[in-house]
Amino acid sequence: MHTIKTVLLLGVLTGLFLVVGKILGGQTGMVIAFVLAMAMNFFAYWFSDKMALKMYGAREISYEEAPWLHDMVEELARNAGIPKPRVYLAPIDVPNAFATGRNPENAVVAVTSGILNILSPEELRGVLAHEIAHIKNRDILISSIAATIGGAISMIAEMAFWSNLFGGNDEEDNGIGGLIGSFLLFILAPIAAMLIQMAISRSREYAADATGAEICRCPLALAKALEKLEMAAQQLAPVAAREVNPGTAHMMIVNPLRGSAIASLFSTHPPTEERIRRLYELARKMGQV
């Protein structure tokens, strides 16, 4: 169901791109915006893993340093049917973890110093299974596609607005009415695209929870880990504000940055309470509760 929902949302996002492009930029504007967005996200797709790891000063952990951690990652990767990802440590106090890399053959799972301090081995296993699920489900590729289309929509809207403002074709723009219309779409189209991208991201988090539970064969371990991580995120919000780059918060298993109720509408993560509830429901179906 999560895969179907993702496909549908990507379809809606693509449809929005075509509609907005036709209304605002015409065929030429659509092509220019899409090519520019593809170029930017192509770079991000190939190099985002290196940038994210560098942001946190993460370093690769050798097998000799933590054989138990490497063995855990190798077992989970084997359960998932993918190559063993490299293992990195981010030396920050905020308890969290993330996966990055353009495909399963070039993947990385990173854990923070903070998460190693608060989770039991079984709970950490559940977290790592979630991150390996993101790799297995190719969520980085999916988010890159969504970002490309969403970025193209924003570019088309901006191009059309400035074109109308500084001397567009009056016959097509219909004077002030055309300018107002392009201004409204300049504001609303990117917001609509962003909301769809957020919905895709939240759907992928649910899917990674479910796939991760299957990989580690213990939904309760992941549920208990999420409980601890959510509590830590609330308690360490000031620390997270200093240590976490907002541009990478969507990669984390739990959003470490806390905002207002309105800001939560634009969150890339679904409510942790709902994620936990679904994991307990899955555990009941598996006869573990």
Side-chain angles (χ1 to χ4, degrees), residues 6 10 13 41 44-45 48 99 101 134 137-151 197 200-201 204 250-251 268:
T6 300
L10 282 172
L13 191 60
N41 285 286
Y45 177 66
S48 60
H134 275 308
N137 295 341
R138 296 184 179 269
D139 287 334
I140 295 169
L141 175 61
I142 292 170
S143 64
S144 296
I145 294 171
T148 296
I149 301 172
Q197 285 179 262
I200 291 172
S201 180
R204 301 320 300 161
H250 69 283
M251 299 170 61
T268 55

Side-chain angles (χ1 to χ4, degrees), residues 84-134:
K84 176 179 174 286
R86 289 172 291 154
V87 183
Y88 274 68
L89 174 68
I92 63 175
D93 294 327
V94 175
N96 230 304
F98 62 90
T100 186
R102 61 186 182 275
N103 54 40
E105 290 71 33
N106 296 276
V108 169
V109 291
V111 294
T112 68
S113 300
I115 201 170
L116 296 179
N117 293 331
I118 71 167
L119 296 188
S120 69
E122 191 63 23
E123 291 163 349
L124 181 62
R125 187 170 175 271
V127 167
L128 291 171
H130 171 97
E131 298 306 331
I132 286 173
H134 275 308

Side-chain angles (χ1 to χ4, degrees), residues 221-234:
L222 178 54
K224 291 175 181 176
L226 289 175
E227 288 175 350
K228 286 186 178 180
L229 293 174
E230 177 64 22
M231 186 179 300
Q234 295 172 8

Side-chain angles (χ1 to χ4, degrees), residues 3 10 29 46 48 54 65 83 110 125 132 138 145 151 155 165 170 187 198 201 226 235 238 244 262 270 274:
T3 301
L10 282 172
W46 280 86
S48 60
K54 190 172 183 179
E65 289 179 272
R125 187 170 175 271
I132 286 173
R138 296 184 179 269
I145 294 171
M155 287 182 188
L165 188 62
D170 288 339
I187 299 296
M198 298 302 98
S201 180
L226 289 175
Q235 295 173 346
V244 177
I262 294 177
E274 176 60 17

Side-chain angles (χ1 to χ4, degrees), residues 16-39:
L16 179 62
F17 166 66
L18 294 174
V19 171
V20 171
K22 190 65 177 176
I23 293 174
L24 294 179
Q27 187 171 357
T28 301
M30 286 172 60
V31 171
I32 293 172
F34 190 69
V35 169
L36 288 174
M38 278 193 68

